[in-house]
Amino acid sequence: MMILVSFSGFVTIFFFLLVSHTLASHTLQRDALLEFKNEFPTPDPQAADPIDFFHRSSSWNTSSSDHCSWEGVKCDGKSGEVISLVLKYISLNGSLKSNTSLFKLQHLRNLSLTSCHLTGKIPSSLGNLSHLIHLDLSLNHLIGEIPASIGNLNHLSYLKLESNDLTGKIPSSLGNLSNLIHLDLSYNHLVGEVAASIGNLNQLALLSLSFNNLSGNIPLSFANFNKLSYLDLSGNQFTPENPFTGGDVHRILPNLTSLSRLDLSYNNFKSNLSADLTGLQNLEELFLGGNSFVGNVPTSLFTIPSLETVELGGNQFEGPLEFGETSSCKYLYLASNNFNGPIPESISRLVSLSRLDLSYNSFIGTIPDSMSKLVSLSDLDLSYNKLEGQVPSFLWRVFWFTLSHNSFTSLEKSLDVIFSENLRYDLSSNSLQGLFPQWLCNFTSLHVLDLSNNRLSGSIPSCLKNSTSFLKEMYLRNNSFSGVLPDVFTDATGLQSLDVSHNHLVGKLPISLMNCNRLGFLNLKGNKIKDTFPSWLQSLDSLLVLLLGSNALYGPISSSSSYFGFPNLLVIDISHNCFNGTLPHDYFANWTKMSSATNETNSFELMGPSYYLFSMDMTYKGVETEFSRILTAYKAIDFSGNKFQGRIPKSIGMLKDLRLLNLSGNAFTGDIPSSLANITNIEALDLSRNKLSGQIPHDLGNLSFLSYLDFSHNLLQGQVPQSTQFQRQNCSSFENNLGLYGLEDICGEIHVPDATSQQPEEFSSEQEEVLNWIAAAIAYGPGVFCGLVIGHIFISHKHEWFMKKFGRKNPSGMISVR
């Protein structure tokens, strides 16, 4: 009986101790979590952040006894130990301490602190959490090297450290993680060669080391990855030891039989591509773009039955190009290589093809009829080749195509009417002849039409009114269209860009342009349009660029309705017309966009996404200077070559962010307004060939960005400012101002002519160059020139068709910043 009592007492004591230990353990774990919370700075209560840790972890408090129910915390169902801590997309705004309370959670299997604004280094003591299976510290701001101690976590299956600022080499100790399935170290600043020990991770299914600064050869041990389905080494500096054999790449690839995605793009490979890829029977996506691979593309590549995406752009592959039997390939990018000869008829075998890019090669001949079998094709780029002949009718069923910079001469009429709401056709820079193809008016859902830089003639048809409801961009620049610009824009409420410059258009501007309330870019330069100034365009709040230069426009540009101004205008060019009259002193008072010194990332954001980039060139005395910042916040005014009189409005000084001002070749009188000194960002100023008098304001010498100025052919007097900006100009910038002095450092010894001399002024060779350039401009863009000017602005659009690969890269080889 006494033995039974003792045994019962023992059981009671054991149970009591067990419960006490469990309760104590739970208390320790709860306290550890609270200590971890307190390791990070307490936010300002006045600026509560909905993703702040303290806001999101309100359940973490001492009054809550069950810490296993706290947000992000998970406990083992039997032992009650914390086994998972997942805090994603919250703001910790601090670093992990070397003795962080997390290390008291010894049974932790899953630690995920993704996108928590973590800073500092990864503590090496993290290697003491020996039960970890899943470790994710991605999308933070961690710095320093990857601790070698992570190699001690021999249960680890997932290691994700991507998108940080980690440096140094990949520690060879990671090769000890024999259970690792997922390893992602991409988007860091890791350097050096990849240790051969990484090849020991033969359980890997995913390996991504992309977008670091890794170099050297890919280790031969990578051939052990026979379970690997995803390999991304893109955006590094891998260079094979032997550029003629490709290093070990050719010995590695045949062993990677489980691969579904292989990305070696944007490295320094310079080898041939292996001739036999038939072993990669599970391959779905292949990205090798942005290297220097040479030789032929093996036909065996196009026999892989699972292959859907092939991106080989930006290499030095050459022909002949032949496609094997495969029906799965949907996306094929071969841009920017050395392919030549005709487009192969065998391309018709890729019956599932949706996107095809053969741009920037040297393909010749006509588009093969066999391409008509590609019934799924929706996106086609054949630009920058040497193709010729007729554009076949079957291409009009492709929703997006660009055939620019070839030698096509005609268009075969479409046999069908396409009703897609997103048609984009680019036929610019070819040799198209004849009249505007009126059957294009049947495409009522056109978004983009570019026929610029061709030889089309005749009138622009009025039937385009049927196609303007969805139209966003239309470019007819540099053709020989005549007649009037038809009044077809009543329903064009989505139109963003219109360029009909450098044609032979006459008549007046169509008043229906007033309905284009999203119009941001309007270019009518180099025509013979005869009309008064279209002040009604001021009602278009989205208008950023207005180019009316080199026409026959006339009359004053200021009236009672003009004081409203152009609030969002960035660039205006009305040069080489017949405008006259005076400008009120407050004429520029409401041009608010030019008045604010903003630093916009993209001035065309108001227009929505566009496939066209614009640059601006300004030509001074035969020297062409490019201003490519029109996409950032470039602001320019060109009123040159007209008949404006009176004083230059003082309100010009309110345009504080103006970069270019050209008022040359007019009849402005009076002083140069001192308010010009307020335009602190100005880079080019031309007031030449007017009747300006008085002194050059000395404050203009403080304009530190001023790189070009011209005050020649006026009635100026007094001393020229002695600043660096003035002293580095050419002497011609001040000539024919007999009252100016202080030019010795600029012009050297100056001979002052006899004031009574009636001898005609001799043209310098530089002036002769100016006149020759003006004559060339007249021949290029016919219009009525009402004044001799030295400079002019013209804006040309440059097409760049973006084929994005998962939002990260485009075929030109440029890598997007994450």
Side-chain angles (χ1 to χ4, degrees):
M1 187 66 182
M2 289 179 62
I3 297 175
L4 290 174
V5 170
S6 299
F7 180 75
S8 175
F10 175 77
V11 171
T12 301
I13 292 170
F14 176 79
F15 180 76
F16 175 78
L17 291 174
L18 180 63
V19 171
S20 299
H21 174 76
T22 302
L23 291 175
S25 176
H26 283 198
T27 301
L28 289 173
Q29 301 239 319
R30 184 194 65 181
D31 292 345
L33 289 171
L34 291 174
E35 288 175 24
F36 174 71
K37 175 181 178 179
N38 292 328
E39 289 173 9
F40 297 96
T42 304
D44 182 357
Q46 301 296 324
D49 185 345
I51 62 170
D52 182 85
F53 183 31
F54 286 79
H55 180 86
R56 289 275 299 274
S57 62
S58 57
S59 61
W60 289 36
N61 56 70
T62 55
S63 63
S64 176
S65 59
D66 184 13
H67 61 274
C68 295
S69 64
W70 292 356
E71 181 172 353
V73 179
K74 184 179 179 180
C75 298
D76 184 86
K78 294 181 179 180
S79 67
E81 301 282 357
V82 175
I83 59 173
S84 177
L85 179 60
V86 178
L87 301 174
K88 294 185 177 182
Y89 310 110
I90 64 172
S91 298
L92 294 176
N93 294 320
S95 59
L96 287 173
K97 299 181 182 299
S98 59
N99 60 345
T100 176
S101 299
L102 283 181
F103 301 142
K104 296 179 181 179
L105 307 175
Q106 282 297 311
H107 294 271
L108 204 60
R109 302 175 196 169
N110 181 4
L111 176 59
S112 180
L113 303 177
T114 307
S115 191
C116 290
H117 297 275
L118 283 174
T119 58
K121 296 182 178 181
I122 300 174
S124 59
S125 47
L126 198 63
N128 296 328
L129 292 175
S130 57
H131 290 84
L132 272 184
I133 297 174
H134 188 122
L135 176 59
D136 187 351
L137 301 178
S138 60
L139 295 167
N140 284 292
H141 307 288
L142 297 169
I143 61 173
E145 298 185 359
I146 299 172
S149 61
I150 290 181
N152 299 332
L153 304 175
N154 52 17
H155 293 291
L156 208 60
S157 294
Y158 292 84
L159 177 58
K160 302 180 66 177
L161 302 177
E162 73 269 19
S163 300
N164 281 285
D165 294 304
L166 299 171
T167 55
K169 293 185 176 182
I170 298 174
S172 59
S173 62
L174 295 188
N176 299 330
L177 303 176
S178 57
N179 292 307
L180 208 59
I181 297 173
H182 185 116
L183 176 59
D184 193 343
L185 307 179
S186 61
Y187 290 100
N188 281 287
H189 307 290
L190 303 173
V191 298
E193 296 188 11
V194 178
S197 61
I198 301 299
N200 297 335
L201 307 177
N202 56 15
Q203 299 299 310
L204 274 181
L206 181 148
L207 174 61
S208 180
L209 306 177
S210 61
F211 293 95
N212 283 284
N213 294 308
L214 300 170
S215 56
N217 202 14
I218 298 176
L220 181 60
S221 59
F222 274 30
N224 297 330
F225 294 150
N226 55 16
K227 294 183 180 180
L228 196 67
S229 64
Y230 185 109
L231 177 60
D232 190 347
L233 304 180
S234 61
N236 283 287
Q237 300 176 36
F238 287 115
T239 305
E241 294 173 359
N242 186 340
F244 298 102
T245 65
D248 293 327
V249 173
H250 295 299
R251 285 189 281 175
I252 294 169
L253 282 182
N255 286 38
L256 307 184
T257 54
S258 297
L259 270 185
S260 64
R261 178 188 172 102
L262 173 62
D263 193 341
L264 302 180
S265 57
Y266 303 100
N267 278 285
N268 296 319
F269 294 109
K270 301 178 181 180
S271 64
N272 288 298
L273 194 59
S274 173
D276 187 6
L277 300 176
T278 54
L280 305 179
Q281 289 298 298
N282 296 300
L283 193 63
E284 296 177 3
E285 299 174 300
L286 175 65
F287 301 99
L288 302 179
N291 285 286
S292 298
F293 283 107
V294 298
N296 298 337
V297 177
T299 305
S300 61
L301 176 64
F302 297 101
T303 63
I304 299 174
S306 55
L307 194 64
E308 292 187 358
T309 300
V310 178
E311 208 269 57
L312 306 181
N315 283 286
Q316 297 177 30
F317 287 116
E318 55 190 11
L321 187 62
E322 189 66 25
F323 299 101
E325 294 288 347
T326 179
S327 59
S328 58
C329 190
K330 296 179 181 178
Y331 310 112
L332 177 60
Y333 306 103
L334 301 178
S336 300
N337 278 284
N338 297 325
F339 295 115
N340 52 32
I343 297 175
E345 296 279 347
S346 61
I347 199 169
S348 62
R349 296 172 179 172
L350 307 180
V351 293
S352 299
L353 206 59
S354 174
R355 295 181 180 179
L356 173 63
D357 189 344
L358 303 179
S359 62
Y360 291 92
N361 280 287
S362 297
F363 287 109
I364 61 173
T366 60
I367 296 176
D369 291 337
S370 63
M371 283 186 66
S372 63
K373 298 179 181 179
L374 304 179
V375 293
S376 298
L377 195 64
S378 62
D379 195 336
L380 173 66
D381 192 345
L382 301 179
S383 61
Y384 290 91
N385 279 286
K386 300 176 182 179
L387 299 169
E388 58 187 9
Q390 189 175 55
V391 177
S393 61
F394 62 80
L395 279 192
W396 298 104
R397 68 174 180 236
V398 177
F399 297 155
W400 292 19
F401 71 61
T402 174
L403 307 180
S404 68
H405 296 87
N406 281 286
S407 298
F408 294 112
T409 54
S410 62
L411 308 176
E412 187 177 7
K413 183 178 179 179
S414 173
L415 301 178
D416 303 300
V417 177
I418 308 300
F419 294 101
S420 169
E421 294 184 1
N422 199 7
L423 300 178
R424 299 172 183 266
Y425 298 140
D426 182 359
L427 292 151
S428 62
S429 300
N430 278 284
S431 300
L432 299 177
Q433 302 177 19
L435 302 178
F436 187 101
Q438 294 202 22
W439 48 267
L440 281 175
C441 297
N442 297 327
F443 292 88
T444 56
S445 53
L446 269 176
H447 270 208
V448 176
L449 177 63
D450 192 344
L451 298 174
S452 60
N453 300 315
N454 279 288
R455 302 172 187 173
L456 298 170
S457 58
S459 61
I460 299 173
S462 298
C463 67
L464 275 175
K465 186 175 182 178
N466 302 330
S467 304
T468 56
S469 296
F470 292 95
L471 192 64
K472 290 185 176 181
E473 302 169 17
M474 184 165 70
Y475 305 94
L476 304 179
R477 175 190 176 97
N478 279 343
N479 280 283
S480 297
F481 291 119
S482 57
V484 300
L485 180 61
D487 201 8
V488 296
F489 303 101
T490 303
D491 298 322
T493 54
L495 188 65
Q496 299 171 358
S497 298
L498 176 63
D499 189 343
V500 292
S501 61
H502 300 291
N503 282 284
H504 307 293
L505 300 177
V506 297
K508 295 186 176 183
L509 274 69
I511 198 69
S512 60
L513 284 172
M514 287 185 65
N515 298 306
C516 304
N517 50 28
R518 296 192 63 193
L519 189 64
F521 180 87
L522 177 60
N523 189 358
L524 303 174
K525 287 193 68 172
N527 284 287
K528 300 177 182 179
I529 296 173
K530 189 172 184 179
D531 198 356
T532 56
F533 183 73
S535 57
W536 42 269
L537 288 176
Q538 295 171 143
S539 63
L540 301 181
D541 292 339
S542 297
L543 193 61
L544 303 174
V545 177
L546 175 61
L547 308 177
L548 302 176
S550 302
N551 278 285
L553 302 170
Y554 62 92
I557 65 171
S558 62
S559 64
S560 58
S561 62
S562 297
Y563 292 111
F564 178 71
F566 289 90
N568 290 310
L569 208 61
L570 300 177
V571 176
I572 181 171
D573 179 1
I574 59 171
S575 63
H576 306 351
N577 280 288
C578 295
F579 292 120
N580 58 24
T582 60
L583 300 178
H585 67 90
D586 58 351
Y587 181 72
F588 297 103
N590 291 314
W591 295 38
T592 53
K593 206 72 168 184
M594 293 190 191
S595 302
S596 57
T598 57
N599 187 23
E600 302 166 58
T601 58
N602 189 340
S603 296
F604 283 89
E605 285 179 339
L606 296 178
M607 299 162 56
S610 173
Y611 288 88
Y612 291 81
L613 301 181
F614 298 89
S615 67
M616 182 169 65
D617 301 320
M618 187 170 186
T619 305
Y620 283 108
K621 300 186 178 183
V623 179
E624 189 173 279
T625 305
E626 182 175 356
F627 299 88
S628 59
R629 283 173 294 170
I630 192 168
L631 280 177
T632 54
Y634 204 91
K635 301 172 184 180
I637 292 177
D638 190 350
F639 283 13
S640 63
N642 284 287
K643 296 181 178 180
F644 292 117
Q645 301 173 345
R647 293 179 175 270
I648 297 174
K650 293 182 179 180
S651 58
I652 193 73
M654 300 176 67
L655 310 185
K656 296 180 181 179
D657 205 26
L658 194 64
R659 307 301 176 90
L660 182 151
L661 176 62
N662 191 348
L663 302 179
S664 65
N666 283 287
F668 286 113
T669 57
D671 296 338
I672 296 174
S674 59
S675 63
L676 285 174
N678 297 330
I679 311 177
T680 54
N681 289 320
I682 197 165
E683 300 173 13
L685 173 63
D686 193 342
L687 304 179
S688 64
R689 298 186 183 274
N690 280 286
K691 299 178 182 180
L692 299 170
S693 57
Q695 297 186 358
I696 298 176
H698 283 265
D699 286 347
L700 296 185
N702 299 326
L703 298 174
S704 57
F705 291 103
L706 192 61
S707 59
Y708 179 89
L709 57 85
D710 194 342
F711 296 122
S712 64
H713 302 280
N714 278 290
L715 305 173
L716 300 172
Q717 56 187 352
Q719 185 172 13
V720 173
Q722 299 300 297
S723 70
T724 303
Q725 287 72 24
F726 277 75
Q727 297 300 309
R728 67 188 178 193
Q729 301 299 316
N730 292 326
C731 182
S732 59
S733 295
F734 305 99
E735 64 186 5
N736 284 352
N737 288 281
L738 298 183
L740 288 178
Y741 61 89
L743 293 168
E744 292 78 8
D745 293 338
I746 303 174
C747 302
E749 184 178 352
I750 300 175
H751 171 67
V752 180
D754 185 356
T756 62
S757 174
Q758 300 298 317
Q759 295 296 323
E761 180 182 318
E762 295 292 331
F763 284 107
S764 67
S765 60
E766 189 176 40
Q767 289 172 310
E768 219 171 289
E769 183 181 359
V770 175
L771 294 179
N772 289 339
W773 174 82
I774 293 173
I778 294 173
Y780 177 70
V784 179
F785 285 70
C786 297
L788 183 62
V789 298
I790 293 177
H792 83 140
I793 304 173
F794 68 91
I795 291 191
S796 61
H797 64 268
K798 298 177 180 178
H799 179 269
E800 183 176 340
W801 195 272
F802 291 107
M803 291 295 208
K804 295 183 179 178
K805 189 188 79 174
F806 298 100
R808 295 188 300 142
K809 308 167 190 172
N810 61 57
S812 65
M814 300 300 292
I815 302 175
S816 300
V817 179
R818 64 173 176 89

